[in-house]
Amino acid sequence: MKLLIRIFRYHIFASIIALVLGASLFYVSVRFLIDREVNQELFSSQAKVSWQLRNIDRLPVYILQLGDSLQLNAVRFPRKPSLTDNTLFDKTTREFQPYRQLTFYEQVEGQWYRVTISKQLIQRRQLLSAVVMTVTFIAALLLILLLLLNNWLSERVWRPFYKTLGSLDAYKLETHEILQFPKEPTIEFDQLNKSVSQLTARLATTYQNLKEFTENAAHEIQTPLAVIMSKIEGLLQDETLREPQIMSLLEVSEAANRLSKLNNVLLLLTKIENHQFLAGNEEINLVTIINRKLRDLEDLIETRRINMQTSLVPTGPVMNAALAEILVNNLLTNAIRHNVDQGTIKISLEPGKLVVSNTGNPIEVAPEQMFERFRKVSTNSSSIGLGLALVKTICQVNEMDLAYTVDSNWHVLTVSWK
């Protein structure tokens, strides 16, 4: 629709320019014709006056048209003839009126006379204005009708396109929907709709295959990992193992645990991005979730001797409850893991905003880069670099804003919503 509005504005602008230029050209043309006719009448009158002065012994009785005038003045020497526009006082109307004057010189019986013939222009100018205004009005009316007709036809012709565009805007891949459109009389739009239908069909098939592959891959990876962990636990119970062997098994166990955690987080990210979590329809009270997570992390907080400061107002966004749990857990875990011993964590919850601040070491990268997957600035082996990426994905899916700022030794993560 914006395209049609833009085209309609261009048409209006072009029509106004064409109307102004056309009206101006028409006015100049008509005025030129009227002035040429007046000049011809003046020259015709000049010929008549000259003939009467030369062939009649007395001053001529020259009959002019109504409103015109003739003046004879004796002069000593003649000058060049001239044709000028002037404004003279009309005794009949008692107003100043426009005139076209022709001045020429004739000699009668050895005496030179200056002859001035004046023709009134008021009626011709009124006629000119009336004609130009009438034609301009008719042209403007035609342009308006053409613009309205063109706009109506454009909307009618482009309606299928915007209908298709609206369907694409509302299209959700996770619903496996294949868009279907009725047959359109316009061949191009009908071909477009067929292409869109074929595209959505391929997308739905590809999405389903990808979803099944992800789920199957996660399941198949988790099964051998469980077997590996079970075998490691069994081997660790073997009393014949020496210390180097035990240390190697512990390293393998730690790597297997990291791989299992990585597999679970990547699967969770995929599910969130594919909108496999049901959308929430009620406001989540984050205070309950924050307090519960703080209790779960109490031992870790005490071990690190971290000072907790909270300012919580019972509020929260409208979102899936499970995603809210993951969001809060990752924010708090990140604040604890990347804090310093005997550091501080501040949690502020108010309508429309959750702020988690923690003391920590400076980072050498831009804060927004910390939302990238596998981005780590700590050598802590327990971190897989997906915590903040998971938080970012949850915020994007739920149309919330996430900001990361660093102020001196304070790291501030802000989640805001409407």
Side-chain angles (χ1 to χ4, degrees):
M1 191 61 67
K2 292 183 178 179
L3 175 62
L4 292 181
I5 294 176
R6 192 179 298 115
I7 292 175
F8 185 66
R9 289 177 178 174
Y10 289 155
H11 285 173
I12 292 178
F13 182 71
S15 299
I16 292 175
I17 292 178
L19 182 62
V20 171
L21 292 178
S24 301
L25 181 61
F26 181 73
Y27 175 83
V28 171
S29 301
V30 174
R31 180 164 181 173
F32 171 77
L33 294 175
I34 291 177
D35 290 345
R36 187 176 65 177
E37 181 184 359
V38 172
N39 293 341
Q40 291 176 352
E41 292 179 2
L42 287 173
F43 292 138
S44 176
S45 300
Q46 177 186 6
K48 293 178 181 179
V49 171
S50 298
W51 182 86
Q52 291 185 15
L53 288 175
R54 289 192 179 96
N55 295 278
I56 301 177
D57 294 337
R58 56 187 178 83
L59 289 176
V61 179
Y62 179 67
I63 301 176
L64 300 173
Q65 295 182 4
L66 182 64
D68 296 346
S69 63
L70 172 65
Q71 294 180 352
L72 294 174
N73 301 102
V75 295
R76 296 182 61 184
F77 302 103
R79 295 183 179 180
K80 292 183 179 180
S82 63
L83 188 64
T84 58
D85 290 330
N86 203 351
T87 302
L88 303 177
F89 184 77
D90 190 346
K91 296 181 180 179
T92 304
T93 60
R94 297 185 178 277
E95 294 179 354
F96 285 94
Q97 303 291 350
Y99 283 84
R100 171 71 54 88
Q101 292 183 327
L102 175 62
T103 303
F104 61 95
Y105 297 83
E106 291 291 343
Q107 188 176 33
V108 179
E109 298 178 355
Q111 175 64 46
W112 284 98
Y113 291 91
R114 182 178 65 233
V115 184
T116 303
I117 303 175
S118 302
K119 277 198 169 292
Q120 195 176 50
L121 300 178
I122 184 61
Q123 295 180 350
R124 292 179 173 84
R125 296 285 174 83
Q126 291 175 348
L127 177 63
L128 171 63
S129 300
V131 171
V132 171
M133 290 181 63
T134 302
V135 173
T136 303
F137 174 77
I138 295 174
L141 183 61
L142 288 175
L143 283 175
I144 293 173
L145 292 177
L146 287 175
L147 283 174
L148 294 176
L149 178 62
N150 182 59
N151 186 57
W152 179 78
L153 289 175
S154 298
E155 289 183 358
R156 185 177 180 86
V157 170
W158 285 90
R159 190 176 300 160
F161 172 79
Y162 286 104
K163 184 178 179 181
T164 302
L165 192 61
S167 299
L168 286 174
D169 288 338
Y171 179 71
K172 294 183 179 180
L173 182 60
E174 61 273 12
T175 60
H176 300 177
E177 180 186 4
I178 300 176
L179 296 180
Q180 299 292 342
F181 304 95
K183 185 174 180 60
E184 297 293 343
T186 306
I187 298 177
E188 291 79 6
F189 291 150
D190 190 60
Q191 292 177 347
L192 173 64
N193 291 341
K194 289 180 181 179
S195 299
V196 170
S197 298
Q198 295 172 1
L199 175 62
T200 53
R202 291 195 298 269
L203 285 175
T205 302
T206 303
Y207 172 77
Q208 182 62 28
N209 294 336
L210 180 61
K211 179 182 176 183
E212 293 176 356
F213 169 78
T214 304
E215 294 174 351
N216 294 336
H219 181 268
E220 294 300 326
I221 291 174
Q222 199 65 32
T223 300
L225 282 174
V227 174
I228 293 172
M229 295 297 298
S230 177
K231 296 295 183 180
I232 292 174
E233 291 178 2
L235 289 173
L236 288 174
Q237 295 176 2
D238 189 351
E239 297 179 356
T240 63
L241 293 178
R242 290 177 294 179
E243 184 176 353
Q245 295 172 326
I246 293 176
M247 295 300 297
S248 297
L249 286 175
L250 289 175
E251 291 177 359
V252 173
S253 176
E254 183 180 353
N257 280 325
R258 285 175 54 81
L259 182 58
S260 177
K261 185 187 299 184
L262 178 62
N263 179 64
N264 291 332
V265 174
L266 288 176
L267 179 61
L268 180 60
L269 276 169
T270 302
K271 288 183 176 180
I272 294 174
E273 291 174 344
N274 292 338
H275 300 271
Q276 291 180 237
F277 286 87
L278 296 176
N281 52 16
E282 294 183 359
E283 185 177 288
I284 301 296
N285 186 359
L286 293 182
V287 174
T288 304
I289 299 176
I290 292 173
N291 290 332
R292 183 167 61 249
K293 293 300 177 182
L294 288 177
R295 287 194 299 269
D296 295 340
L297 299 169
E298 186 175 0
D299 292 340
L300 183 58
I301 294 173
E302 291 179 355
T303 301
R304 300 287 303 278
R305 292 177 292 176
I306 295 176
N307 176 34
M308 297 297 304
Q309 300 178 10
T310 59
S311 175
L312 307 178
V313 176
T315 184
V318 177
M319 63 183 300
N320 182 277
L323 293 182
E325 293 268 356
I326 298 171
L327 176 69
V328 173
N329 181 73
N330 279 18
L331 288 174
L332 296 181
T333 303
N334 179 81
I336 296 172
R337 179 177 296 154
H338 299 287
N339 212 321
V340 295
D341 292 336
Q342 300 182 3
T344 303
I345 294 178
K346 296 180 181 180
I347 305 174
S348 172
L349 176 63
E350 58 187 57
K353 184 166 64 175
L354 170 64
V355 181
V356 178
S357 308
N358 65 275
T359 52
N361 297 319
I363 58 177
E364 298 179 357
V365 298
E368 57 270 12
Q369 294 183 4
M370 297 303 299
F371 299 128
E372 299 175 0
R373 296 186 181 185
F374 304 107
R375 170 72 69 174
K376 295 192 296 183
V377 295
S378 173
T379 57
N380 187 353
S381 60
S382 62
S383 174
I384 60 176
L386 290 175
L388 292 183
L390 189 57
V391 172
K392 181 68 174 180
T393 302
I394 293 174
C395 290
Q396 288 177 340
V397 170
N398 290 277
E399 298 181 352
M400 298 188 295
D401 296 326
L402 177 62
Y404 185 0
T405 58
V406 179
D407 183 9
S408 185
N409 62 333
W410 281 96
H411 298 253
V412 183
L413 280 164
T414 305
V415 179
S416 54
W417 59 90
K418 296 181 181 179

